[in-house]
Amino acid sequence: MVDSDKIKNSLIDEFYNEEQGKVDKNAEYSDEYRDFKSVLNSAGEKMDVLNDDIFDFDIDTLSIIEQGEFIRENRKVKKEFIFFVLLSTIILSLYAIAIIILGSKILIISQMIIASIAPWIIIPVLVIKRKRSEA
């Protein structure tokens, strides 16, 4: 019987197209030779599958992130708009009720108060909001 290590080494050399050792012709017909050669061939087929470009994905992560930020920004804008509409409706309703109950003098007095106090309230609020959005 031919040495099994010599058979395996010669088959491995043949598989990798390296210098082939000389093996008896009788060894080529042995069961051990055929079994090991089939193992090498199946391993080669599995490696060929891995060499194919099956993992060629074209994923644009930047556009996905931009879409997510766009959706988040749209939700935030919608919430702020709804809050603004509700708050302004409530304020104007209360203002109208106050004019009806207290008379038209309250309209003139409130306009003067709003015109003089509003800049002192609006400007600091906008500055604080801008600093929060930058951070």
Side-chain angles (χ1 to χ4, degrees):
M1 198 80 197
V2 179
D3 187 24
S4 66
D5 288 337
K6 282 186 177 181
I7 293 173
K8 289 180 181 179
N9 287 336
S10 67
L11 281 172
I12 291 172
D13 289 342
E14 180 183 330
F15 183 76
Y16 288 109
N17 295 325
E18 293 179 350
E19 184 180 327
Q20 297 177 359
K22 301 210 176 186
V23 179
D24 291 338
K25 292 289 182 186
N26 293 335
E28 291 180 8
Y29 299 111
S30 70
D31 290 335
E32 188 177 354
Y33 181 88
R34 281 185 270 138
D35 291 340
F36 194 69
K37 188 164 186 164
S38 68
V39 168
L40 282 176
N41 288 335
S42 67
E45 290 173 8
K46 290 176 185 175
M47 285 188 245
D48 287 341
V49 169
L50 293 176
N51 287 337
D52 292 341
D53 233 358
I54 59 173
F55 300 110
D56 186 22
F57 297 114
D58 188 22
I59 298 174
D60 189 11
T61 55
L62 182 61
S63 68
I64 293 170
I65 292 170
E66 288 173 350
Q67 287 175 349
E69 289 176 355
F70 179 74
I71 291 169
R72 182 182 303 146
E73 203 58 39
N74 278 347
R75 287 181 184 166
K76 183 179 176 183
V77 168
K78 286 179 185 177
K79 286 180 184 177
E80 287 178 356
F81 179 73
I82 291 171
F83 179 70
F84 169 75
V85 169
L86 289 174
L87 189 63
S88 61
T89 303
I90 291 170
I91 291 173
L92 289 176
S93 298
L94 291 175
Y95 191 63
I97 291 171
I99 290 172
I100 292 171
I101 293 173
L102 301 174
S104 62
K105 272 189 176 181
I106 193 75
L107 176 66
I108 297 169
I109 295 171
S110 65
Q111 289 296 321
M112 290 172 47
I113 292 173
I114 290 173
S116 61
I117 294 178
W120 296 100
I121 296 172
I122 293 174
I123 292 172
V125 168
L126 291 177
V127 169
I128 291 170
K129 189 173 182 180
R130 181 177 295 153
K131 286 183 181 179
R132 279 190 201 160
S133 66
E134 289 176 358

